[in-house]
């Protein structure tokens, strides 16, 4: 679920701001007190900034398909029971487990948004069924502050999301990944995401639309960030249904265009930040990561990770490679590339590029 900076961070800042020296009995003491008074606001600001940085999602973090952690798999019978009790088809058990894997990894010591350790392995304590976690749900055999209560609350939240998105999108199943990703992203963002998607005609998850909603909510709330824009892809790492051929490449294109249009990321040789500066191979690696596909860091290794094909056979999202440089094929005649001075869409000069590279995923 989307979390604000934890309250204890703000409390720490208030405690720092409220501190006053008690030894002001001499001229020297008054000098020290004046110096401390000047430093205190800076310390408070630093405390808040550190809290924001520690809680904000890591933009540059990569991922690849992985198995469910054993600590999550162990809860499969309970998740299946919760789905049965709450009227959710058994075909959605795998989705609930994938969500648990991303939310907590099955770690019973995970903290809720306010810092409490209440075994909230579905991170559902901010949702509509938080009372089931805090005071229990006897009708389902859920004691307060237990993993079972969190599972039932999380599955109930997932059920409501499935029903709401189904009413908007029409019937869909576990293999309809565009719709499933919207359900998962809605679990992260909360109830406001669906009405926003409806107003903007969004019927399938894209990184661009998710980022737009996050930016809008961050501006409205005044928070440093809102939710995790690529949360759906993070959950999909654990989901047994895989994208059809070509779907992942479209998400690569969306990520590349977002960087070129919204970030205009400056070129920095060896750079590793998609917002502050990076080089061509980091850019391509990051774009593939946003589609849940892991490729190496260096351009030559990226070429070797796929199949070299003639440029004339390239499809959107394929790589274009030449010695010492790499980009992302956009469409006939255009490439998105990270090249000095900044990331942008360029016309393809065909005699520059050696080949296109098709990455499976």
């Amino acid at each position: 679920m989307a979390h604000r900076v934890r309250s204890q961070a703000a409390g720490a800042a208030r405690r720092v701001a409220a501190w006053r020296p008690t030894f002001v009995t001499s001229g020297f003491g008054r000098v020290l007190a004046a110096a401390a008074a000047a430093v205190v606001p800076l310390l408070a600001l630093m405390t808040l900034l550190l809290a924001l940085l520690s809680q904000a999602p890591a933009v540059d973090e990569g991922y690849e398909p992985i198995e469910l952690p054993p600590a999550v798999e162990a809860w499969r019978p309970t998740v299946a029971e919760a789905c049965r009790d709450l009227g959710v088809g058994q075909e959605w058990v795998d989705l609930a487990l994938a969500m648990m894997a991303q939310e907590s990894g099955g770690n019973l010591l995970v903290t809720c948004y306010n810092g409490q350790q209440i075994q909230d392995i579905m991170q559902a304590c901010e949702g509509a069924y938080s009372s089931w976690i805090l005071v229990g749900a006897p009708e389902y055999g859920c004691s307060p502050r237990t993993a079972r209560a969190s599972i039932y609350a999380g599955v109930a939240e997932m059920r409501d999301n499935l029903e709401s998105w189904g009413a908007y999108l029409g019937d869909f199943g576990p293999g309809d990944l565009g719709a499933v990703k919207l359900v998962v992203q809605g679990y992260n963002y909360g109830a406001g995401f669906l009405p926003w998607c409806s107003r903007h005609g969004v019927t399938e998850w894209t990184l661009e639309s998710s980022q737009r909603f996050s930016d809008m909510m961050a501006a409205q709330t005044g928070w440093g960030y809102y939710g995790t824009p690529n949360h759906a892809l993070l959950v999909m790492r654990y989901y047994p249904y895989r994208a059809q051929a070509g779907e992942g490449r479209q998400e690569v294109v969306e990520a590349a265009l977002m960087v070129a249009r919204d970030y205009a990321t400056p070129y920095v040789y060896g750079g590793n930040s998609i917002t502050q500066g990076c080089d061509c191979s980091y850019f391509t690696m990051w774009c593939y990561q946003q589609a849940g596909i892991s490729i190496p860091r260096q351009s030559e290794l990226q070429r070797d990770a796929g199949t070299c094909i003639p440029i004339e056979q390239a499809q959107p999202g394929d790589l274009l490679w030449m010695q010492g440089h790499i980009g992302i094929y956009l469409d006939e005649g255009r490439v998105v590339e990270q090249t000095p001075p900044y990331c942008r869409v360029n016309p393809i000069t065909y005699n520059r590029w050696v080949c296109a590279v098709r990455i499976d995923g």
Side-chain angles (χ1 to χ4, degrees):
M1 309 292 279
H3 301 321
R4 293 192 66 177
V5 176
R6 291 179 179 170
S7 58
Q8 62 262 40
R14 287 194 296 271
R15 288 192 293 273
V16 170
W19 178 83
R20 292 291 184 273
T22 59
F23 56 84
V24 187
T25 59
S26 66
F28 179 67
R30 285 191 293 273
V31 170
L32 288 179
V39 171
V40 161
L42 178 60
L43 290 175
L45 177 60
M46 290 175 63
T47 301
L48 289 174
L49 287 175
L50 287 172
L52 283 169
L53 290 172
S54 67
Q55 295 299 308
V59 174
D60 295 337
E61 184 176 352
Y63 41 79
E64 58 187 5
I66 52 180
E67 298 295 325
L68 284 175
V72 172
E73 186 64 50
W75 289 105
R76 182 178 290 274
T78 306
V79 171
E81 181 184 354
C83 286
R84 183 181 66 249
D85 290 347
L86 296 170
V88 180
Q90 292 296 299
E91 67 271 20
W92 295 107
V93 168
D94 285 323
L95 180 61
L97 289 168
M99 292 164 67
M100 181 195 299
Q102 174 56 29
E103 296 290 353
S104 70
N107 179 13
L108 295 178
L109 298 180
V110 66
T111 57
C112 192
Y113 72 98
N114 58 9
Q116 295 186 74
Q117 286 187 345
I118 52 177
Q119 298 189 5
D120 187 15
I121 56 177
M122 291 295 289
Q123 291 291 278
C125 57
E126 287 184 272
Y129 300 91
S130 60
S131 63
W132 292 7
I133 301 172
L134 298 175
V135 300
E139 63 272 33
Y140 299 120
C142 298
S143 300
R145 307 166 73 90
T146 61
R148 180 181 177 88
S150 177
I151 288 171
Y152 269 76
V155 169
E157 198 83 40
M158 184 185 75
R159 176 199 61 193
D160 292 355
N161 271 274
L162 287 168
E163 292 176 353
S164 298
W165 286 99
Y168 168 52
L169 299 172
D171 291 338
F172 62 87
D176 298 317
L177 297 187
V180 171
K181 290 175 187 175
L182 287 175
V183 171
V184 172
Q185 196 68 55
Y187 188 91
N188 178 253
Y189 280 151
F193 186 49
L194 190 156
W196 182 88
C197 287
S198 178
R199 289 195 303 273
H200 292 83
V202 175
T203 57
E204 287 195 351
W205 185 93
T206 65
L207 181 62
E208 178 186 8
S209 60
S210 183
Q211 186 69 59
R212 285 172 56 202
F213 178 81
S214 175
D215 292 344
M216 179 198 71
M217 292 301 297
Q220 288 183 4
T221 59
W223 301 348
Y225 70 98
Y226 187 90
T228 306
N230 60 352
H231 180 76
L233 292 178
L234 293 170
V235 171
M236 289 298 107
R237 296 179 301 169
Y238 304 99
Y239 195 51
Y241 292 87
R242 295 293 179 232
Q244 300 299 313
E247 182 174 332
R249 288 193 295 274
Q250 181 57 38
E251 291 172 350
V252 171
V253 169
E254 292 170 1
L257 287 174
M258 184 177 71
V259 174
R261 181 186 60 247
D262 298 340
Y263 297 158
T265 302
Y267 180 88
V268 176
Y269 180 75
N272 290 306
S273 171
I274 205 63
T275 55
Q276 301 302 313
C278 66
D279 56 21
C280 63
S281 58
Y282 182 85
F283 163 70
T284 51
M285 181 187 73
W286 184 89
C287 291
Y288 269 80
Q289 286 174 346
Q290 304 319 296
I293 301 170
S294 178
I295 61 175
R297 173 66 171 83
Q298 289 78 25
S299 59
E300 284 76 13
L301 295 179
Q302 291 178 8
R303 175 203 60 194
D304 296 341
T307 302
C308 290
I309 58 176
I311 298 175
E312 292 75 18
Q313 297 178 16
Q315 297 178 5
D318 285 339
L319 297 170
L320 291 186
W321 180 84
M322 69 174 75
Q323 185 66 41
H325 185 53
I326 200 159
I328 293 175
Y329 182 83
L330 178 57
D331 53 28
E332 186 174 353
R334 295 193 299 168
V335 59
V336 189
E337 55 184 329
Q338 177 69 349
T339 186
Y342 53 82
C343 182
R344 59 193 184 276
V345 177
N346 284 329
I348 295 176
T349 305
Y350 284 88
N351 59 3
R352 291 176 59 220
W353 300 96
V354 174
C355 66
V357 180
R358 176 74 44 78
I359 302 291
D360 294 330

